[in-house]
């Protein structure tokens, strides 16, 4: 069965490299699946736990957002931040999740009193935290 190269790059490092069967990501137009010999394309990525599929198993890689460039034999993910499960500090992600949830709840409880809260920003932070928690939990049985 054919494979396609995947490279996930953050501003600091190459976070992940593998020959894979399929990559599933979240984009503003919905879930996108990329397989070998896909037509060239560039897509924006939303925060998500990217699903990296192999012949017999699947791995998750958290991505905070960015872009994906697809060529027939290679997928390059240029991420604002990306982590494999082992790189994730679970407690930090839990705190980020709680912080974002609290901000959103506070705003909803009294919007006029909390005009300073940037809700889209908190929602984006919530999605990043959820992507990290899903990714880190994926390695547990
Ligand atoms: P926090 O509020 O905890 O900083 P964040 O979602 O605002 O989270 P990002 O801006 O997405 O963080 O990432 C900033 C840097 O911190 C990146 O290098 C990213 O890989 C790293 N990072 C963020 N959260 C975690 C985590 N839970 N575990 C490991 N690294 C993390």
């Amino acid at each position: 069965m054919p494979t396609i190269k995947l490279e996930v790059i953050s501003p600091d490092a190459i976070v992940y490299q593998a020959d894979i069967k399929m990559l599933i990501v979240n984009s503003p137009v919905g879930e996108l699946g990329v397989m070998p010999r896909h037509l060239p394309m560039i897509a924006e990525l939303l925060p998500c736990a990217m699903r990296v599929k192999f012949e017999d198993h699947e791995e998750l890689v958290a991505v905070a957002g960015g872009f994906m460039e697809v060529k027939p034999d290679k997928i390059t993910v240029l991420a604002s931040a990306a982590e494999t499960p082992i790189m994730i500090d679970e407690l930090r992600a839990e705190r980020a999740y709680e912080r974002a949830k609290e901000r959103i709840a506070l705003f909803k409880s009294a919007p006029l009193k909390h005009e300073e809260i940037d809700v889209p920003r908190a929602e984006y932070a919530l999605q990043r935290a959820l992507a990290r928690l899903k990714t880190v939990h994926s390695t547990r049985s």
Side-chain angles (χ1 to χ4, degrees), residues 7-86:
E7 195 165 74
V8 181
I9 303 170
S10 78
D12 310 329
I14 297 173
V15 172
Y16 188 90
Q17 269 178 316
D19 289 321
I20 70 166
K21 302 240 40 115
M22 188 178 185
L23 178 70
I24 300 172
V25 300
N26 273 2
S27 82
V29 293
E31 210 168 65
L32 293 178
V34 181
M35 295 201 289
R37 303 192 198 114
H38 197 286
L39 287 176
M41 97 175 159
I42 290 181
E44 186 184 338
L45 299 185
L46 296 177
C48 60
M50 295 192 302
R51 293 169 58 196
V52 183
K53 286 179 166 281
F54 294 87
E55 188 74 57
D56 53 357
H57 74 291
E58 181 176 304
E59 294 175 13
L60 297 188
V61 177
V63 64
F67 290 91
M68 170 177 75
E69 183 196 39
V70 178
K71 292 179 180 169
D73 61 345
K74 187 173 182 190
I75 306 166
T76 307
V77 170
L78 296 169
S80 55
E83 302 94 26
T84 59
I86 202 170

Side-chain angles (χ1 to χ4, degrees), residues 49-130:
M50 295 192 302
R51 293 169 58 196
V52 183
K53 286 179 166 281
F54 294 87
E55 188 74 57
D56 53 357
H57 74 291
E58 181 176 304
E59 294 175 13
L60 297 188
V61 177
V63 64
F67 290 91
M68 170 177 75
E69 183 196 39
V70 178
K71 292 179 180 169
D73 61 345
K74 187 173 182 190
I75 306 166
T76 307
V77 170
L78 296 169
S80 55
E83 302 94 26
T84 59
I86 202 170
M87 295 166 69
I88 294 173
D89 176 342
E90 186 175 357
L91 193 60
R92 177 174 168 181
E94 275 168 5
R95 286 192 180 128
Y97 173 82
E98 293 301 335
R99 216 165 40 238
K101 273 199 79 164
E102 268 169 37
R103 284 197 182 120
I104 294 164
L106 206 58
F107 180 83
K108 283 190 177 157
S109 69
L112 295 179
K113 205 172 142 198
H114 296 288
E115 276 175 338
E116 79 288 357
I117 294 178
D118 185 338
V119 176
R121 183 176 164 184
E123 272 166 2
Y124 192 52
L126 186 69
Q127 294 308 315
R128 292 197 299 274
L130 280 171

